[in-house]
Amino acid sequence: MTEEKYAEAAYEVESSIKIALLKNHMTQRELADEIDANPQQLNRAIKGDMTPKSRELRKQIEKVLGI
């Protein structure tokens, strides 16, 4: 995947999560509490970080927010 495509994919993920947060009337901090995650790590996951921890957090985010 080229750097540009990676950036586009990360932006898509971030946008869909932020929209879902708004629809669920939830803040990132509330989401972090809900999935028992560190707020900073949650933010990295939302921004598209590709570490195994961030990938796992995105799976949990999808379940909680119904994405």
Side-chain angles (χ1 to χ4, degrees), residues 44-56:
R44 284 192 294 272
I46 290 172
K47 294 285 186 185
D49 184 47
M50 292 304 294
T51 62
K53 178 68 175 174
S54 290
R55 290 177 181 176
E56 180 59 35

Side-chain angles (χ1 to χ4, degrees), residues 6-7 9-11 13-14 17 38-59 61:
Y6 174 74
Y11 180 76
V13 168
E14 180 181 1
I17 291 172
N38 178 299
Q40 290 82 11
Q41 180 64 46
L42 177 72
N43 189 52
R44 284 192 294 272
I46 290 172
K47 294 285 186 185
D49 184 47
M50 292 304 294
T51 62
K53 178 68 175 174
S54 290
R55 290 177 181 176
E56 180 59 35
L57 286 175
R58 281 193 293 274
K59 288 179 185 177
I61 291 167

Side-chain angles (χ1 to χ4, degrees), residues 18-35:
K18 289 190 175 194
I19 290 169
L21 282 169
L22 288 170
K23 286 181 179 179
N24 286 283
H25 307 286
M26 193 177 229
T27 65
Q28 282 189 22
R29 181 164 296 280
E30 291 169 335
L31 178 59
D33 290 342
E34 179 79 22
I35 63 175

